[in-house]
Amino acid sequence: MLSQIVSALVVVFVAVVACSAYFYFSNKILDLALPVSDGDVRAASRNLNRRAVIRPWLFLGPALFLLFVYLVYPVVATFILSFYDRTGLQFVGIANYKWAIGDREFRQSIFNNILWLAVVPAACTFFGLVIAVMTDRIWWGNIAKSIVFMPMAISFVGASVIWKFIYEYRGGNDVQIGLLNAIVQLFGGTPEVWISVPFWNNFFLMIILIWIQTGFAMVILSAALRGIPEETIEAAVIDGANGWQIFWRIMVPQVWGTIAVVWTTITILVLKVFDIVLTMTNGQWQTMVLANLMFDWMFRGGGDSGRSAVIAIIIMLAVTPIMIWNVRRANRELKGH
Amino acid sequence: MKKSFLMGVAVAALFAGAASAADLKFAPGQDSKFNWKSYDEFKAAHADLKGQPLTIFGPWRGEDEAFFMSVLAYFTEATGVDAKYSSSENYEQQIVIDTQAGSPPNIAILPQPGLLADLASKGFLTPLGDDNSKWIKDNYGAGDSWVGYGTYKGKDGKEAFYSFPYKADVKSLVWYVPENFEEAGYKIPTTMEELHALTDQIVKDGGVPWCIGLGSGGATGWPATDWVEDIMLRMQPPEAYDKWTTNELKFTDPAVVAAIDEFGKFAKNEKYVDGGVAAVASTDFRDSPKGLFAVPPKCYMHHQASFIPSFFPEGTKLGQDADFFYMPTYASKPELGKPVLGAGTLVSIAKDSKAARAFIDFLKTPIAHEVWMAQSSFLTPYKSVSTEAYANPQMKKEGEILTSATTFRFDGSDLMPGKIGAGAFWTGMVDFVGGKSAEEAAGEIQSAWDGIK
């Protein structure tokens, strides 16, 4: 343990020094290679221009290189692998894609993912917005916000473990230690094994992500709400609008851009949801989602790189349009519509 | 100041690693129930490995890890090899990541021949050579079966011996608390028919006969596969079992469906299982046997392999507080004899080195088996070990089942392709207990198997 900490510190130190050294010396070398002396004015101005062209690449270089190594190359490699068999050696054409379409588990995962997409971003944004509006005008609003935001600090696995205890089931006449079953029992109901109730168990897993992400939506939306000019609300009040109308007709349209950002960010997160399902059910009881299915095919019992690559590509294809739309919208906003 | 502090920390960390290797659980040469001669001979033959690194990856965690470390201490003491053991809860995934990433451990220890066969076929394992396979054949009970479970096709398509069996489990066991049986006046069933009758009798007397728990995190469902395999060996000849593990005999075959249904007779009856059917899939297998020891007992019987005493309440004396009987066979099928279902871990070399070879040689010394036997939860088919070393008479009894086995069959789900044996079969059993019929569950497992071809 201690030796790990020591080596981690050493690595951090060396890396920081190496990075600074790279920028400092590459800059120095560029200046030396293309001198700007007082003698030859034409050469000096030419060198200045060249410096201006080269310098950004010099500084961007490491980032671009890393981006290529860790993003572009894996995407291309994954795409190629998706046409090969389980060992990645034998070309099989589109057989893996055909398999995916026909596979029951794959279709189940798609269905579950759509379910997640329909529920989680909407619920997080809705709860985030409602909490942001409601906590704005009460004295303990900040305390409430901190509590809502706290789950953000917990890892997905940690949160799942907490919720595992909430859904815990004890058989027979044992005392229920799971919060949900204890409540059910208190009101005279029969305890259930929540995470194994088909279809509905998906929602029990979604609640965990909603619990984690509502804080994120709330913080962003609350900042946006602060940005609404006070006059518009005052004007509405003078015109006799009630609270409901002020919320829907004045506030929501003005923070619409932020709602979209929050919504899409959580949508992308949901497409990649993995840890919660792995920790809670590992895809059993029909809760499989794409990311878990991919992991399963890649690593269980020796693995099948072809099929897992297909699933990875499909997840990427699903995320891409949302990303593009998000980036475009952000660009438009930067340019002032 | 800061620098010297960091140096001190680093030095302390170095020594912390070295100190733990030095203490041996049983002082060499003292206790005569151990074969110390084998240890001395091994030490003399491998004295030239001082300081060589050896990484070992295995499935043992918690208590078992401590036991393995106590065995490994003898190896490091004898050879001076700098051995490091690591494990992972998700060892099946971890070993795939490690081998494919090009940083495999020297020694990979896995309980799944199917997974090892897969690794071998991709060229990630080093053949151990014919001397080793011959040694197993000569020295292990049912040696031929064990050699078979370590022999796979390599990347070149040629069969070779890749994995050395070390540490075995006997699975055909039913655990019970003798005191509870005495009090209620129950007799150990000697046939499957009697087991069914006893189950009914316990319900009639107002008790719950079975504790069954299938929960195991990401591996939820596997304990049910043991049940089905055990029943399969009792309803069908071993040849059918072998065909089943290679899918020559389909999952949808009436023989397999009948075995699943037979398991359902125990697990899918509200009155037969502690907590009701709903609790079966959600109860962790490690918690499940605890019902035996409750007062009054929550259940009377628990079907589980020989490793399960590790999860009994602390201080449980085997033979006194808890005992086992052999999962009986059908009186109506005497021709099937007394089959034994078991499992074991297999040791392979994933990155060859002199130290790795020495480790395989070490496993051939009786002492490598006896040190663990003398502590807990370790059985071996190795015939030359001193059975006196077993920690208790129950383990000795289990060990003798192994060394004298004629029909020994390896855990079927570990022989099937990973996606089935460590996936669809588990899920299918969870679905079966969750309400699907045996035909439906078997159909889904079979379609998953068709899907990987």
Side-chain angles (χ1 to χ4, degrees):
Chain A
M1 180 65 188
L2 270 174
S3 66
Q4 269 116 320
I5 292 175
V6 172
S7 55
L9 287 174
V10 169
V11 167
V12 168
F13 179 74
V14 169
V16 168
V17 169
C19 284
S20 325
Y22 168 78
F23 288 116
Y24 180 78
F25 286 109
S26 63
N27 207 22
K28 261 274 158 67
I29 290 166
L30 181 69
D31 287 348
L32 284 175
L34 300 169
V36 186
S37 54
D38 299 329
D40 189 346
V41 180
R42 260 184 49 212
S45 81
R46 197 186 58 217
N47 278 355
L48 260 183
N49 279 336
R50 280 189 189 161
R51 274 192 201 178
V53 172
I54 295 172
R55 205 181 310 271
W57 293 106
L58 216 52
F59 280 35
L60 276 175
L64 286 176
F65 174 73
L66 290 177
L67 209 61
F68 182 83
V69 170
Y70 288 104
L71 200 71
V72 179
Y73 166 70
V75 167
V76 174
T78 305
F79 186 67
I80 294 170
L81 267 182
S82 72
F83 296 105
Y84 283 80
D85 75 335
R86 58 194 305 266
T87 55
L89 298 172
Q90 185 106 39
F91 185 79
V92 294
I94 58 163
N96 289 327
Y97 288 87
K98 272 193 193 149
W99 158 81
I101 294 164
D103 188 55
R104 192 183 56 85
E105 210 178 4
F106 178 79
R107 280 184 288 187
Q108 171 95 58
S109 309
I110 293 268
F111 173 76
N112 288 344
N113 262 100
I114 292 172
L115 216 56
W116 279 76
L117 283 176
V119 175
V120 176
C124 289
T125 317
F126 177 75
F127 288 127
L129 187 60
V130 168
I131 294 167
V133 171
M134 291 204 306
T135 51
D136 220 16
R137 275 150 219 275
I138 44 175
W139 66 267
W140 50 278
N142 280 334
I143 302 168
K145 273 187 198 166
S146 321
I147 292 170
V148 174
F149 189 71
M150 242 177 239
M152 280 290 284
I154 303 171
S155 73
F156 280 24
V157 172
S160 305
V161 171
I162 293 171
W163 281 84
K164 223 175 189 172
F165 281 111
I166 292 180
Y167 296 142
E168 179 77 31
Y169 171 82
R170 285 293 147 105
N173 303 320
D174 284 4
V175 177
Q176 297 296 332
I177 65 154
L179 185 67
L180 194 54
N181 275 326
I183 292 170
V184 166
Q185 212 170 32
L186 187 71
F187 288 102
T190 13
E192 282 276 352
V193 189
W194 302 104
I195 57 165
S196 71
V197 186
F199 184 69
W200 298 108
N201 50 9
N202 282 305
F203 293 93
F204 292 121
L205 302 195
M206 286 178 210
I207 289 171
I208 302 170
L209 189 54
I210 295 170
W211 181 72
I212 298 172
Q213 284 296 320
T214 296
F216 162 77
M218 178 201 68
V219 167
I220 308 279
L221 289 168
S222 153
L225 286 173
R226 290 267 162 77
I228 296 174
E230 200 64 25
E231 299 87 56
T232 56
I233 295 174
E234 272 168 25
V237 172
I238 291 164
D239 287 348
N242 61 28
W244 192 247
Q245 284 168 322
I246 291 174
F247 178 72
W248 283 111
R249 303 239 174 117
I250 309 295
M251 287 172 145
V252 170
Q254 294 200 60
V255 294
W256 196 245
T258 315
I259 289 177
V261 170
V262 169
W263 195 297
T264 47
T265 311
I266 299 176
T267 300
I268 292 166
L269 185 81
V270 166
L271 274 169
K272 298 184 296 184
V273 67
F274 169 77
D275 327 39
I276 293 174
V277 177
L278 183 81
T279 317
M280 297 293 287
T281 62
N282 197 22
Q284 299 205 78
W285 301 291
Q286 294 148 48
T287 55
M288 192 60 103
V289 290
L290 285 174
N292 291 78
L293 190 67
M294 174 186 88
F295 183 79
D296 215 45
W297 275 104
M298 187 64 228
F299 295 120
R300 204 175 251 186
D304 184 326
S305 59
R307 287 178 180 180
S308 56
V310 165
I311 302 167
I313 291 289
I314 287 164
I315 297 174
M316 202 189 67
L317 288 180
V319 175
T320 311
I322 308 168
M323 297 275 261
I324 292 174
W325 181 77
N326 217 3
V327 170
R328 275 210 186 146
R329 210 194 39 74
N331 276 346
R332 235 182 299 139
E333 216 151 75
L334 274 181
K335 285 177 197 147
H337 295 281
Chain B
M1 179 62 206
K2 201 175 216 168
K3 197 174 166 193
S4 68
F5 168 73
L6 282 182
M7 283 301 287
V9 164
V11 168
L14 279 174
F15 278 100
S20 61
D23 30 80
L24 300 178
K25 201 104 188 181
F26 310 97
Q30 284 188 0
D31 201 329
S32 63
K33 67 185 183 202
F34 295 93
N35 285 303
W36 292 115
K37 200 168 149 259
S38 71
Y39 177 68
D40 293 335
E41 281 167 10
F42 175 77
K43 195 171 178 172
H46 297 86
D48 54 337
L49 296 167
K50 197 152 183 52
Q52 292 205 22
L54 180 74
T55 50
I56 302 173
F57 178 80
W60 300 307
R61 297 172 69 75
E63 207 180 22
D64 275 346
E65 178 172 350
F67 292 139
F68 177 65
M69 292 311 285
S70 72
V71 175
L72 192 59
Y74 288 85
F75 174 71
T76 50
E77 178 70 19
T79 58
V81 165
D82 179 22
K84 289 210 169 64
Y85 173 75
S86 64
S87 66
S88 162
E89 179 95 345
N90 298 310
Y91 55 82
E92 308 143 78
Q93 278 114 24
Q94 195 58 46
I95 193 67
V96 175
I97 296 170
D98 287 351
T99 48
Q100 297 208 339
S103 55
N106 292 112
I107 298 280
I109 308 174
L110 293 164
Q112 295 176 357
L115 178 55
L116 284 162
D118 198 88
L119 294 174
S121 74
K122 290 177 180 166
F124 290 135
L125 303 182
T126 310
L128 298 180
D130 291 339
D131 332 339
N132 279 314
S133 68
K134 190 175 175 303
W135 188 90
I136 292 289
K137 208 167 163 177
D138 297 342
N139 289 286
Y140 272 28
D144 279 330
S145 324
W146 285 109
V147 170
Y149 293 134
T151 304
Y152 323 113
K153 276 199 179 112
K155 203 177 180 182
D156 50 4
K158 270 191 264 173
E159 281 208 337
F161 182 68
Y162 282 96
S163 298
F164 190 100
Y166 171 72
K167 187 182 192 293
D169 284 313
V170 175
K171 298 206 168 210
S172 308
L173 306 176
V174 178
W175 295 86
Y176 71 105
V177 174
E179 203 182 316
N180 294 343
F181 264 51
E182 268 164 43
E183 247 164 55
Y186 300 140
K187 279 208 192 76
I188 307 290
T190 53
T191 65
M192 202 62 154
E193 288 84 352
E194 280 177 33
L195 185 65
H196 278 290
L198 175 62
T199 302
D200 287 331
Q201 183 63 42
I202 293 172
V203 174
K204 213 183 275 170
D205 296 346
V208 178
W210 294 94
C211 275
I212 305 177
L214 308 187
S216 180
T220 294
W222 71 259
T225 66
D226 285 4
W227 269 92
V228 173
E229 288 151 11
D230 229 349
I231 292 169
M232 190 73 187
L233 279 175
R234 279 157 184 71
M235 295 173 80
Q236 302 296 331
E239 295 75 41
Y241 183 89
D242 295 339
K243 281 185 183 157
W244 175 46
T245 59
T246 56
N247 207 22
E248 261 177 88
L249 186 76
K250 301 252 181 278
F251 250 96
T252 45
D253 192 282
V256 182
V257 173
I260 297 174
D261 260 331
E262 188 74 12
F263 164 59
K265 280 187 194 161
F266 296 107
K268 285 180 84 170
N269 187 324
E270 281 296 332
K271 289 181 184 150
Y272 281 10
V273 277
D274 176 41
V277 178
V280 169
S282 66
T283 306
D284 195 286
F285 78 96
R286 286 158 279 216
D287 290 335
S288 172
K290 292 184 178 130
L292 290 172
F293 304 98
V295 183
K298 286 186 186 161
C299 59
Y300 285 83
M301 292 178 281
H302 182 68
H303 177 269
Q304 190 51 280
S306 50
F307 70 82
I308 200 67
S310 299
F311 300 103
F312 284 170
E314 205 149 310
T316 304
K317 279 215 179 71
L318 289 184
Q320 193 181 323
D321 304 331
D323 207 344
F324 67 85
F325 58 84
Y326 168 76
M327 173 86 166
T329 50
Y330 292 91
S332 58
K333 290 183 183 280
E335 71 279 9
L336 296 180
K338 300 245 175 214
V340 174
L341 180 73
T345 38
L346 297 149
V347 182
S348 314
I349 297 181
K351 195 167 79 186
D352 207 0
S353 76
K354 249 181 118 178
R357 296 279 169 178
F359 184 74
I360 298 290
D361 284 342
F362 175 64
L363 299 180
K364 292 193 232 168
T365 65
I367 208 74
H369 300 248
E370 287 159 353
V371 168
W372 199 337
M373 281 159 64
Q375 299 179 70
S376 171
S377 67
F378 184 95
L379 303 176
T380 180
Y382 189 2
K383 288 186 281 195
S384 322
V385 294
S386 134
T387 51
E388 291 311 309
Y390 275 120
N392 56 55
Q394 271 57 44
M395 282 173 64
K396 196 175 161 189
K397 209 161 86 185
E398 291 165 0
E400 276 159 7
I401 292 180
L402 268 180
T403 41
S404 60
T406 47
T407 306
F408 176 82
R409 282 296 177 274
F410 207 94
D411 183 347
S413 55
D414 291 342
L415 298 172
M416 296 173 188
K419 189 67 193 166
I420 306 302
F425 197 0
W426 295 348
T427 313
M429 285 301 103
V430 169
D431 290 344
F432 172 64
V433 173
K436 283 194 181 152
S437 72
E439 286 86 4
E440 274 180 287
E444 271 165 21
I445 301 167
Q446 184 55 44
S447 72
W449 206 325
D450 294 336
I452 56 169
K453 280 173 185 162

